[in-house]
Structure formats: C-alpha cells, structure tokens
Amino acid sequence: MMTSQYDMARVDQMEGHEFERFIADMLYKLGYRKVEVTRGSGDQGVDVLAEKEGIRYAVQCKCYSSDLGNTPVQEVNAGKMIYHCHVGVVVTNRYFTSGAKEAAKATGVLLWDRTKLQELIMQAEALS
C-alpha cells in the first residue's frame, strides 16, 4: 500500500483534468455514487458531481501550487444551485486563505484542504 505522503507528492504533479478524475475515483471508492466529471469548459465552477445517502454534492477541484482564496468558494456555491445539489465542496492539494474560510462559513460550502485530502486518500486506500 502506498503511503499518504507518496500519494500527495503524486497529486501535486497532476494537471487539472487528471486531478478531477482522481477525485472522482476517490469519491467512488468512499461510497459516493452517480459520480460524474463534468465537461471542461462551461462547467459553472463544478468539476465533479456525486451523491451519497441521498445528498447531491457539487465539487470543485483545484490542484494548485499556492493556497486558495474565496473565488472557488463563490463559484461552487453558484454551481451547486445550477446543478441542483445540496452541498458544495472545494477540494485542493493546498490550503485555504482566511477569506476562503470566511466565504465558506457564510455559504455552507465545505473546504477539503491538503490535510483532509490526505485523510480521504488513506480511507479510500483502506477500502481498496
């Protein structure tokens, strides 16, 4: 089994669409269903759609080399309404600025940062 640190080094090298597919596969392994990567352009800030226990998730995936501000939070919050989802999520291989955390708190968007992503990867590996 790969260690989480190895996975994160690999994740950090992924390009955008590869990261989106990686997140979609991970969500499926974690028990999410109806997992779908949206079309690239015109996706309304939503990269992956998924459902778990009757809750529809709109996920924006950001594989960056720097921390994320509030723009992805605003985008996925709008996108979740367009896709008729209950929950918006921004997942990244980095961390979030205080502005992003403030926007997420106000909108109810979930922020999955590097630490949370490492936990999810380990959970998915344990189920594989």
Side-chain angles (χ1 to χ4, degrees), residues 46-73:
V46 175
D47 300 313
V48 177
L49 296 166
E51 188 174 305
K52 189 171 189 180
E53 299 172 2
I55 298 170
R56 288 182 39 86
Y57 293 82
V59 183
Q60 188 173 83
C61 305
K62 294 292 187 187
C63 191
Y64 278 15
S65 58
S66 59
D67 293 349
L68 275 69
N70 61 359
T71 301
V73 176

Side-chain angles (χ1 to χ4, degrees), residues 21-110:
R21 288 188 301 274
F22 174 77
I23 295 299
D25 289 345
M26 181 188 70
L27 290 174
Y28 190 81
K29 288 176 185 171
L30 291 170
Y32 291 77
R33 293 300 174 251
K34 299 182 183 175
V35 179
E36 170 190 346
V37 177
T38 63
R39 67 185 192 280
S41 60
D43 63 14
Q44 303 290 347
V46 175
D47 300 313
V48 177
L49 296 166
E51 188 174 305
K52 189 171 189 180
E53 299 172 2
I55 298 170
R56 288 182 39 86
Y57 293 82
V59 183
Q60 188 173 83
C61 305
K62 294 292 187 187
C63 191
Y64 278 15
S65 58
S66 59
D67 293 349
L68 275 69
N70 61 359
T71 301
V73 176
Q74 295 166 346
E75 290 172 351
V76 82
N77 189 51
K80 81 172 181 168
M81 292 186 265
I82 292 166
Y83 284 96
H84 308 289
C85 292
H86 303 101
V87 179
V89 180
V90 181
V91 60
T92 183
N93 62 317
R94 299 290 303 175
Y95 294 97
F96 294 95
T97 65
S98 58
K101 291 175 186 173
E102 187 178 317
K105 185 175 180 183
T107 58
V109 168
L110 302 178

